[in-house]
Amino acid sequence: MPSRPPVQDLARSVYLLWGHHPAPGRSGLSVPRIVAAGLELADAEGLDAVSMRRVADQLGVGAMSLYRHVPGKDDLTALMVDAVHAEAYGDDVEAATRQGDWKDAVRYVAARNWDLYQRHPWLLDVHAARPNLGPHTSRKYETELRALDGGGLSDIEMEAALTLVLNHVAASARAHRAQTRTVSDSGMTDAEWWAAITPALTQVMTDPDLTVSARVGNTVGATFNTATSPTHTYTWGLETLLSGLTPHLTP
Amino acid sequence: MPSRPPVQDLARSVYLLWGHHPAPGRSGLSVPRIVAAGLELADAEGLDAVSMRRVADQLGVGAMSLYRHVPGKDDLTALMVDAVHAEAYGDDVEAATRQGDWKDAVRYVAARNWDLYQRHPWLLDVHAARPNLGPHTSRKYETELRALDGGGLSDIEMEAALTLVLNHVAASARAHRAQTRTVSDSGMTDAEWWAAITPALTQVMTDPDLTVSARVGNTVGATFNTATSPTHTYTWGLETLLSGLTPHLTP
DNA sequence: CATCGTAGGGTACGGCGTACGCAAACACCC
DNA sequence: GGGTGTTTGCGTACGCCGTACCCTACGATG
């Protein structure tokens, strides 16, 4: 059942992102305070913990009061994302290009995004339908595109290359989090988990064709003590990417 | 509050994945039928539509009856994923290696995964904490590793390279879906959406530093009529990746 | 002091996963 | 056939979620 959202709502979301929000009411409730409360919850307990009720509780306010300031949860999330994107480069659009050659610039961009995901893992759970057009997200995008500008890539290729790099960072960060988080959540290390299922697995997994995966699994397990090493995949993959981009780029 | 899951539960999940499930009860309910109902719902309406209640409705059965056959929703999802992974290569572990040189093999692997995401977009929404160890997933992994085997990559590098490629496919497929889906959901094309927010955006977005992103945005918009082109990013990114992997691989 | 727009919040609806425990159907033995 | 123990199926309920609707009560204004 497609329901076309009124143009008015879309405009409202844009205005909200750019600081056009209602003045604080008599209880002192305001958009910045709501966003701050949401960020606190998300950083501490993840995106799932950010419910309208819990944000309201955090502020000593009724759940429905939030709706006077924010149209709904999606907009709140967008505001949170934009707020956090301010941390990446400190509003300095030349931050990446100053790092040296283009490879260093891209490495810097990747590292800043990696750091962002470490500081705010919930960013990995935000799946917005449309791109975020907030002020800080826009400056972040500008900064990152500049890292690739003037190297001989077409505009189309710049967009694709940046997407490629950022997707790689996000996927690696997601894998990294999945590993560390399930360890702390279940109180069970990867090795313990593996030991726990091995009996059942060997009893049941009698497929004789799994030769390569068995060898690789053993090597990886022996090397990292885990099934995979997200940080290794991150750095190795980034260098591989850079090497793949090299033919396209001058100096 | 970490709660260590009993070893027994982990083993049960493994057994379940490998076909050790209770016999059909008197109402004819069985694990395969539950999984089939879940797949039907997921393919038609997405993963969110797969609730225990709706699966049960589909089968003309009470919601709680499902729990006699399946420990919980996570296990049902794992079963669904494994079932669908059977489609990728038809259990032929040499399917990729037969495609020609290693580049063709990797292109084939990427294409099969892309197809899988087109047929079952809900796969993109599955975020399992631990790797799926089902029979079909295992064979899929074997098939994909073989595409990279014997080319001079170490075991560690094979794992990283495969992850790199599969992450790229998943991210591209996700972007592709986000684009087509939000269009059909909102009844609003990318161009219409852009037109709807442009007035508000130009009024508010007066940042003079956004020179490169403005230029790139215009070029991309003029070329693809959209903010981004996921299919282009997919193919261009894949070739870039292959070129980055080339130095590591012989023939 | 009276009025009134509005910020704030209470209640409610329809969803979710699933813990718990009862009822009905079956299998089995006498 | 009758009784009995076990299994299967499911109804109810709990605590979450986002948010629509509407009323209260406050603050500013005249």
Side-chain angles (χ1 to χ4, degrees):
Chain A
M1 312 298 92
S3 67
R4 163 179 297 239
V7 167
Q8 181 188 2
D9 289 359
L10 296 175
R12 179 176 175 189
S13 297
V14 170
Y15 284 128
L16 194 60
L17 235 21
W18 287 80
H20 289 228
H21 34 66
R26 57 178 179 269
S27 74
L29 203 58
S30 68
V31 169
R33 289 193 60 211
I34 293 173
V35 173
L39 287 174
E40 201 171 321
L41 273 170
D43 286 342
E45 301 183 46
L47 198 60
D48 282 352
V50 184
S51 71
M52 298 303 269
R53 278 170 240 257
R54 289 204 58 188
V55 170
D57 284 356
Q58 191 95 350
L59 295 165
V61 131
M64 296 314 291
S65 304
L66 304 179
Y67 287 88
R68 294 273 162 203
H69 300 268
V70 161
K73 201 191 170 179
D74 288 352
D75 293 81
L76 173 54
T77 308
L79 283 162
M80 288 166 58
V81 170
D82 195 61
V84 148
H85 278 171
E87 298 174 13
Y89 308 103
D91 275 356
D92 173 9
V93 287
E94 293 289 351
T97 47
R98 242 199 308 280
Q99 297 301 316
D101 66 355
W102 70 269
K103 282 195 183 189
D104 286 330
V106 172
R107 285 193 192 96
Y108 180 76
V109 164
R112 297 266 66 77
N113 277 275
W114 176 270
D115 290 348
L116 219 47
Y117 288 129
Q118 302 314 307
R119 252 198 314 274
H120 311 288
W122 53 269
L123 279 173
L124 296 164
D125 299 319
V126 177
H127 295 304
R130 305 277 193 186
N132 188 315
L133 293 171
H136 300 115
T137 305
S138 301
R139 286 185 76 85
K140 175 172 179 288
Y141 182 52
E142 173 77 18
T143 308
E144 289 167 346
L145 275 183
R146 288 191 185 198
L148 291 161
D149 195 27
L153 252 45
S154 73
D155 287 352
I156 306 281
E157 288 174 326
M158 282 172 59
E159 226 285 319
L162 179 58
T163 301
L164 194 58
V165 171
L166 294 189
N167 280 344
H168 170 64
V169 177
S172 303
R174 185 171 289 113
H176 180 63
R177 180 188 61 162
Q179 189 159 285
T180 59
R181 189 170 63 175
T182 58
V183 166
S184 70
D185 278 7
S186 64
M188 194 175 239
T189 69
D190 245 39
E192 284 174 330
W193 176 79
W194 199 260
I197 59 159
T198 293
L201 208 57
T202 51
Q203 180 182 337
V204 98
M205 193 165 164
T206 55
D207 192 331
D209 287 334
L210 304 180
T211 53
V212 181
S213 41
R215 192 195 73 217
V216 170
N218 282 336
T219 308
V220 173
T223 308
F224 300 122
N225 267 321
T226 54
T228 60
S229 171
T231 55
H232 172 266
T233 303
Y234 166 62
T235 52
W236 186 86
L238 181 58
E239 293 307 316
T240 302
L241 267 174
L242 289 174
S243 136
L245 290 170
T246 302
H248 295 107
L249 281 154
T250 56
Chain B
M1 310 306 94
S3 65
R4 162 179 297 239
V7 167
Q8 180 188 4
D9 289 0
L10 296 174
R12 178 177 175 188
S13 298
V14 170
Y15 284 128
L16 194 62
L17 233 23
W18 287 80
H20 289 226
H21 32 66
R26 57 178 178 269
S27 74
L29 203 58
S30 68
V31 169
R33 290 193 61 211
I34 293 173
V35 173
L39 287 174
E40 202 172 321
L41 273 170
D43 286 342
E45 302 182 48
L47 199 61
D48 283 352
V50 185
S51 71
M52 297 304 269
R53 279 170 240 256
R54 289 204 60 188
V55 170
D57 283 357
Q58 190 94 350
L59 295 165
V61 130
M64 294 314 290
S65 304
L66 304 179
Y67 287 88
R68 293 274 159 201
H69 298 85
V70 160
K73 203 192 170 181
D74 288 353
D75 293 81
L76 173 53
T77 307
L79 283 162
M80 289 166 56
V81 170
D82 194 61
V84 148
H85 277 172
E87 298 174 14
Y89 307 102
D91 275 357
D92 173 9
V93 287
E94 293 290 349
T97 45
R98 245 201 306 282
Q99 298 300 315
D101 65 355
W102 70 269
K103 282 196 183 187
D104 286 330
V106 172
R107 286 192 191 97
Y108 181 76
V109 164
R112 296 267 64 77
N113 277 274
W114 176 270
D115 290 348
L116 219 48
Y117 288 130
Q118 302 313 307
R119 256 199 311 277
H120 311 289
W122 53 268
L123 279 173
L124 296 163
D125 300 318
V126 178
H127 295 304
R130 305 279 193 187
N132 188 316
L133 292 172
H136 300 114
T137 304
S138 300
R139 286 186 76 85
K140 175 172 179 285
Y141 182 52
E142 173 76 18
T143 309
E144 290 167 346
L145 274 183
R146 288 192 185 197
L148 291 161
D149 194 29
L153 252 46
S154 73
D155 287 352
I156 305 282
E157 288 174 326
M158 283 173 58
E159 226 285 320
L162 178 59
T163 301
L164 194 58
V165 170
L166 295 188
N167 280 344
H168 171 64
V169 176
S172 303
R174 185 172 287 116
H176 180 63
R177 181 189 62 162
Q179 189 159 284
T180 60
R181 190 171 62 175
T182 58
V183 167
S184 68
D185 279 6
S186 66
M188 194 175 237
T189 69
D190 246 39
E192 285 174 329
W193 176 77
W194 199 261
I197 59 158
T198 293
L201 207 58
T202 52
Q203 181 183 335
V204 97
M205 194 166 163
T206 55
D207 192 331
D209 286 333
L210 305 179
T211 53
V212 181
S213 42
R215 192 193 74 216
V216 170
N218 282 336
T219 308
V220 173
T223 308
F224 299 121
N225 267 318
T226 53
T228 61
S229 171
T231 55
H232 171 266
T233 303
Y234 167 60
T235 52
W236 187 87
L238 180 58
E239 292 306 317
T240 303
L241 268 174
L242 290 173
S243 133
L245 289 171
T246 302
H248 295 107
L249 280 154
T250 55

